[in-house]
Amino acid sequence: MSSIAKQQPKPLTRSVIWTLALGWLAVTLLPLAFVLFTSLKSQQDTFDSPVWALPTHIDWSHYASVLQSGFFTYLRNSLFVVGLSVLLIVIVSAMAAYALARLKFRFNKPLFALIVAGMIVPLHITLVPIYLMTKAIGLYDTPFALIGPYVATSLPVSIFILAEFMRQIPRELEEAAELDGCGPFTIFRRIFLPLSGPGVATVAIYNAIGLWNEFIFAYVLTSSPGNRTLPLALWDFQGEYSSNIPAMLAVVTLTSLPLIVAYAFGQERIVKGMMAGSLKG
Amino acid sequence: MTQITLQSVHKTYGGAVPVIRNVDLDIGAGEFCVFLGPSGCGKSTLLRMVAGLEAISAGDLHIGGVRMNDVPPAHREVAMVFQNYALYPHMSLFENMAFGLRQARVDPKEIERRVQDAAKILQITHLLDRLPKALSGGQRQRVAIGRAIVRQPSVFLFDEPLSNLDAALRVHMRTEIARLHREFNRASAIYVTHDQTEAMALADKIVLLRAGQGMLEHGSVAQIGSPMDLYHRPRDLFVAGFLGSPRMNFLPATVQSAERGEITLQIDGNSGGERLRLAAGIVAPAAGSRVTLGIRPEHLAAGPSDGSAAITRRVRQVEHFGEYSYVYLDGTEGEEDLIAKVIGHSPARPGDNESFSIPSGDCHVFDAAGFALPRVQA
């Protein structure tokens, strides 16, 4: 047992840490609180009361109005596009990561570097070519138009994360599987994929969050309301509720709610996934 | 019948300096063969070449009379026990042991029978539903052995399986491995270790491997033989110095004369080393030749001899272990310090001058190149 007592932070240091933490909490929470409270005010209440005042009475009518005016169509499209995209991202990136991390073939390292370099390509320079390609193949203004670009732009970082995960898996497990008669695909499916669970979850959650909020491709590649995704709901509702601030903020709240819930459940997984590669397993 | 044959096996990485050179070896059916050697000598690499996990750069490997160089690991009828167990962490122990059999499409009832039988032998039946992380090191090692047993291989391969265990458990598992090998006595076993105690205890045959310059000059294999062969009849200085703890004492010397089965050696020393006459029964080189006299610590007999072979040195340190004592003696110039193992409690004290006789029959004489001089045939 160590005879050296653990050093406790000095009181002044602790006060500073608490002050900074509370300050950061205020910075992140106050805007959310403002959105939520204002969305529950009536229009009159919004203009009459101070900005940070709580609602005098809870008004759910804006939420009802938003939900009845096509919100579920946007939600359905987002769920479909993001769900299918994330599934494809996980499958393709897991297989690519395994091949790059564990299989020996020529140009393995340059190929990995090239794929990872894809992370630095700005999305906006690909907008016009992708728009033209999407129109040419007849997918313009369909939910399917988004899936290709979403998967393609998410693969570099996903492959990077999963490749690092898979490199941590001991080589002896692979060799034991070889001796048990497994080929590369079986080793991937029965050994590496299950053991990469934290990494796969990280990739899925990270991409789901990013794609849920994706705006520019959705704006460029879809036009009719029936095919648009949630980030465009605010854009569309702006015309309809241009002077109704509580209703606008109700749209913002409803759009953010699925992500907040997902993050609340998945946050520990994301942190663990990001950190796992830094620890010796 | 020879089960495993290696013929002129070489291993080179990237065409550069070889790791394994010129290994010729036969291992019989049921034989327990230990690959022993210092770190970097290639013993694990050689084992992995037998398993099929490393390619053979040159030479041939035969198992059961069939050339195996290009045969995948799963088809070589070998089973391996890894140093760090290599159990699949997400599978139960039952699934770990059954996995290979499922891949081979063995009948499920047969899988159940084999796994249960192996679990019973290894006394892990009550653990079959658990995951590896819920087990101790010794239990995991048993499961790793069980995974090998269920495959009913022709050859068991052990890659330092006990090195991650504590000392007490290592001794226990060593006896378990020996017992299991007797139960599966038609299967050969190759066991890699750097621990000579394990090698001496388990092996029917030891293959002692060299590393470094010695490997480049003379090939990887220093000597092949039974443990007692290597211990009592080492082929060269490397073998003599590697086996035995404490290691053999080496005294540089010059041959004065050799006649009628006796050899007279002048031991090196600044102020005149001893002149020793030994009836060693060896084929002696010419007078004036440089040699090295080797004598194991347990063969140095305390007290002056009534013969003419004895050395006197100053005692540097004495260690008492109850059953025996180690007496550390200062070497003369050009000579390493010597160690004598004395049964019981040694009365020697640091600073004393102590004499030790050198029985002729326990001497080893090595020529200038380091090779043991042959004994005269009776």
Side-chain angles (χ1 to χ4, degrees), chain B residues 7 20 35 79 97 111 170 189 219 227 247 264 268 297 312 324 347 366:
Chain B
Q7 288 171 328
I20 299 278
F35 291 172
M97 291 166 70
I111 293 176
R170 216 179 294 157
R247 56 170 268 176
T264 303
D268 287 3
T312 302
Y324 54 84
F366 303 91

Side-chain angles (χ1 to χ4, degrees), chain B residues 174-217:
Chain B
R174 200 172 72 208
T175 58
E176 285 291 301
I177 288 173
R179 179 180 70 83
L180 284 166
H181 183 245
R182 284 194 297 276
E183 285 203 32
F184 296 94
N185 60 5
R186 272 182 289 181
S188 308
I190 301 178
Y191 188 103
V192 165
T193 184
H194 61 274
D195 184 329
Q196 50 178 293
T197 309
E198 273 175 31
M200 298 292 281
L202 289 169
D204 296 322
K205 174 190 280 178
I206 292 180
V207 179
L208 184 56
L209 298 167
R210 285 194 196 93
Q213 196 59 33
M215 180 268 292
L216 292 173
E217 286 174 13

Side-chain angles (χ1 to χ4, degrees), chain B residues 227-251:
Chain B
M228 290 303 110
D229 254 348
L230 267 67
Y231 190 81
H232 292 301
R233 284 173 288 280
R235 185 180 293 170
D236 58 26
L237 284 171
F238 167 72
V239 178
F242 190 87
L243 280 172
S245 180
R247 56 170 268 176
M248 185 183 282
N249 297 299
F250 293 123
L251 295 99

